Amino acid sequence: MFCVAPPELETKMNITKGGLVLFSANSNSSCMELSKKIAERLGVEMGKVQVYQEPNRETRVQIQESVRGKDVFIIQTVSKDVNTTIMELLIMVYACKTSCAKSIIGVIPYFPYSKQCKMRKRGSIVSKLLASMMCKAGLTHLITMDLHQKEIQGFFNIPVDNLRASPFLLQYIQEEIPDYRNAVIVAKSPASAKRAQSFAERLRLGIAVIHGEAQDAESDLVDGRHSPPMVRNVAAIHPSLEIPMLIPKEKPPITVVGDVGGRIAIIVDDIIDDVDSFLAAAETLKERGAYKIFVMATHGLLSSDAPLLIEESAIDEVVVTNTIPHEIQKLQCPKIKTVDISMILSEAIRRIHNGESMSYLFRNIGLDD
């Protein structure tokens, strides 16, 4: 089973060599909480930098201390204005590069545009474009957490450390859900089954999978099955060729594979943004006899009216990490709880700066995790 960093690790957390500079690339003050927690754990001050928007909405970055020959770590948490967040990061990275920083490491807990990582019909792989922009700007290393698809690491030509939040979520289940031994881990769609299996095996619990019309159809749209577009003009095909057409898919009636009657249902996923699929899953589980429903996710985007919908739903609690700031959403919905992951990010920074191995942070992680 995963385990959270032991006490001896925390005692080493403040031991860093000289030449480390920690910046927050956010102009939005609400996005700086994670940066402050990481700096506090490392025992360093935040670097002096000004990030602001001009009246014409251009982003301006002014680094106010020397970074020459230093390891610069730029922490960027994603705000509601995703595109501004990206520009802030790119401009700061380039500013550090032109100021002769020794290395520039991006700490981006939630990688934006990660859902656009596969080809759609007449679309583009935007996360590949974003990776290329970051590398071109001068990024030399990336620390991120629970990428939507692990294969995104291959879009970069620099080292990428894809950390996991699951040890902290597992610890929350064990410590904050008193009767968790009577729980079942639920995948709200077959696409989430691997993640659910990972949680279930580590907690020694059963697993259930929701299959049918309530499942999230996002994977059908982005997995490249419609690219290139199907040929509709029969005359365009050579007469000697008879290409068989793919039979259109038809979703079966909704089914829960696994027993949830009289149990606590814990739905796990990597991102919770549009909550419709989670609400539908919760209703289905209630109908099948689950008496308590939790949702666990690494990244709580919780866009639009998600907090209000959660508050009025059958979901008892939504647990997310602080990779993305969501203090406003918590005020709107008391059911939303936060798990702090600054410890693992600060330890990753310390190890990279000191030239230590990162394998300790990836122990017991298999290929399917």
Side-chain angles (χ1 to χ4, degrees), residues 121-139:
K121 183 167 63 175
R122 300 186 188 91
S124 60
I125 305 176
V126 182
S127 53
K128 166 63 176 171
L129 170 65
L130 187 54
S132 300
M133 291 167 66
M134 289 180 180
C135 294
K136 189 68 176 176
L139 208 64

Side-chain angles (χ1 to χ4, degrees), residues 109-260:
Y110 169 67
F111 188 75
Y113 285 96
S114 59
K115 284 190 173 184
Q116 298 187 47
C117 61
K118 296 180 182 179
M119 181 61 76
R120 293 180 65 173
K121 183 167 63 175
R122 300 186 188 91
S124 60
I125 305 176
V126 182
S127 53
K128 166 63 176 171
L129 170 65
L130 187 54
S132 300
M133 291 167 66
M134 289 180 180
C135 294
K136 189 68 176 176
L139 208 64
T140 60
H141 198 136
L142 176 68
I143 301 171
T144 187
M145 181 165 279
D146 282 339
L147 287 168
H148 187 57
Q149 297 288 341
K150 290 181 292 184
E151 291 75 14
I152 292 174
Q153 295 172 84
F155 295 159
F156 291 85
N157 55 15
I158 57 173
V160 177
D161 287 311
N162 182 28
L163 302 174
R164 305 297 196 273
S166 47
F168 299 91
L169 296 176
L170 289 166
Q171 185 183 46
Y172 184 93
I173 292 171
Q174 292 172 315
E175 294 181 356
E176 302 297 330
I177 303 178
D179 196 20
Y180 83 92
R181 288 293 179 192
N182 186 36
V184 59
I185 306 298
V186 179
K188 69 179 177 67
S189 72
S192 308
K194 279 188 178 179
R195 180 180 296 270
Q197 181 183 358
S198 175
F199 272 68
E201 289 176 352
R202 286 176 167 83
L203 292 168
R204 314 300 192 259
L205 299 176
I207 184 173
V209 180
I210 298 175
H211 178 55
E213 59 186 14
Q215 75 181 47
D216 190 350
E218 176 215 344
S219 59
D220 298 341
L221 297 174
V222 302
D223 66 358
R225 295 177 197 177
H226 299 301
S227 177
M230 291 187 296
V231 178
R232 297 187 181 277
N233 184 5
V234 179
I237 302 176
H238 194 277
S240 64
L241 296 176
E242 291 185 7
I243 300 175
M245 299 299 289
L246 194 64
I247 300 170
K249 293 195 299 184
E250 184 176 337
K251 290 182 182 178
I254 190 164
T255 308
V256 178
V257 182
D259 181 24
V260 296

